[in-house]
Amino acid sequence: MASNESILDASKAALAESELARRIELVRGDYSDQEKGKPDLLHFLTELDVVLEPARRPFRRLDVPKATRPQTIILMPGFATGPTRMRYMARRLEEAGHRTKRWGLGRNWGVAEASMEQLEKRLIEVSEKYGEPVALVGWSLGGLYCRELAKRHPELISKVITLGSPFSGSPRANNVWRIYQAIAGHPVDQPPMEVDISAKPPVETVAFWSPGDGAIAPRCAAGQPGERDRAVALRCSHAGFTYSPEAILAILEELDRA
């Protein structure tokens, strides 16, 4: 007779196999009709520039202007990245005179209500500590969290800036949705929490987008009138939103706008 331990091990193995099969199924399927507008392969390959970028930093000259309106900012990383990806930007914003804070969740592994609840606590904590509304700057998926957070607590947020965040149009008009589904474990158009991604938050909301984005369809990141207050075009890759001089300077300029 099999022992309880062997039965438990067999059960765990069966569950793991079942979960693997489910995630493989999430990657399959022909959704070409929903992917229209996504960047082509050549644009996607330009995202490999992020590998060489750290080696270029010592040779990059970036004159950071002093902020006319120093403020507290929470930076939100994109999918599968964490605060380290936002560190270069954070240092430049602090050099200008702003105060930057991490989002407090480590790596961003996808949409989850538990993560949203932790972010709400983090926002309240930072806002109360410094006695002022907080500006939110979010890259890619991090920008979607910024928008949803601003819908729940608009009184604590002064402005939302999204960087290549796909809040408009088809959630599959990009080159990363299959990877997202495989890792996050849910369809990209069926997040495990109630959201209206394209609805504009009741605070000033500015969308940065780039025609050179190799991951997200530019139109999805720019949005439509009524889904954001303004859209600002940049010339950078998707990863470049976090480190390109043009993006850094554009963010600083936007933060200084009344």
Side-chain angles (χ1 to χ4, degrees):
M1 176 177 285
S3 66
N4 290 337
E5 185 175 344
S6 62
I7 292 175
L8 181 60
D9 288 343
S11 177
K12 288 181 178 179
L15 286 173
E17 185 177 346
S18 175
E19 178 61 17
L20 177 60
R22 188 181 72 83
R23 298 205 178 212
I24 290 175
E25 191 62 30
L26 283 170
V27 177
R28 292 173 156 179
D30 180 8
Y31 294 91
S32 54
D33 59 323
Q34 299 179 33
E35 295 180 307
K36 293 178 181 178
K38 73 176 185 179
D40 58 30
L41 180 60
L42 184 60
H43 273 94
F44 187 49
L45 291 176
T46 64
E47 296 299 328
L48 294 175
D49 176 75
V50 69
V51 177
L52 301 175
E53 191 275 332
R56 298 195 186 105
R57 288 181 186 175
F59 308 100
R60 179 187 300 142
R61 178 179 176 81
L62 178 59
D63 295 322
V64 177
K66 289 300 179 182
T68 60
R69 300 176 62 245
Q71 53 198 288
T72 303
I73 305 161
I74 296 179
L75 299 177
M76 310 264 189
F79 179 63
T81 69
T84 300
R85 170 52 55 195
M86 311 301 287
R87 185 180 299 162
Y88 179 79
M89 178 190 296
R91 288 175 176 171
R92 302 293 78 75
L93 298 184
E94 290 174 350
E95 187 178 339
H98 296 291
R99 181 188 297 112
T100 65
K101 294 296 175 180
R102 297 184 175 193
W103 76 327
L105 271 67
R107 283 188 177 271
N108 185 346
W109 291 119
V111 176
E113 183 60 41
S115 297
M116 195 68 199
E117 291 174 357
Q118 290 183 59
L119 281 176
E120 289 183 81
K121 293 178 182 179
R122 177 63 170 161
L123 172 63
I124 294 170
E125 170 193 352
V126 173
S127 180
E128 289 183 347
K129 180 176 181 179
Y130 296 101
E132 62 182 10
V134 177
L136 302 181
V137 177
W139 172 50
S140 200
L141 179 59
L144 301 187
Y145 267 119
C146 290
R147 289 172 59 94
E148 294 307 311
L149 199 56
K151 295 171 189 176
R152 298 190 183 192
H153 298 280
E155 74 285 357
L156 301 180
I157 297 169
S158 58
K159 177 179 291 191
V160 168
I161 299 175
T162 60
L163 310 172
S165 301
F167 63 87
S168 182
S170 170
R172 289 191 172 89
N174 58 74
N175 286 314
V176 294
W177 70 265
R178 293 180 193 272
I179 298 173
Y180 175 88
Q181 291 192 174
I183 295 176
H186 64 83
V188 72
D189 57 347
Q190 297 176 31
M193 57 184 280
E194 289 191 20
V195 295
D196 185 354
I197 294 177
S198 62
K200 194 190 92 65
V203 302
E204 185 178 13
T205 305
V206 183
F208 283 19
W209 65 281
S210 171
D213 193 319
I216 305 298
R219 288 186 179 181
C220 293
Q224 300 293 327
E227 296 176 340
R228 40 57 176 172
D229 291 297
R230 286 182 295 110
V232 179
L234 301 179
R235 292 169 295 180
C236 63
S237 64
H238 188 68
F241 280 113
T242 66
Y243 59 77
S244 76
E246 182 179 2
I248 299 296
L249 294 175
I251 293 168
L252 288 169
E253 181 180 356
E254 187 57 52
L255 289 169
D256 275 344
R257 291 175 66 100

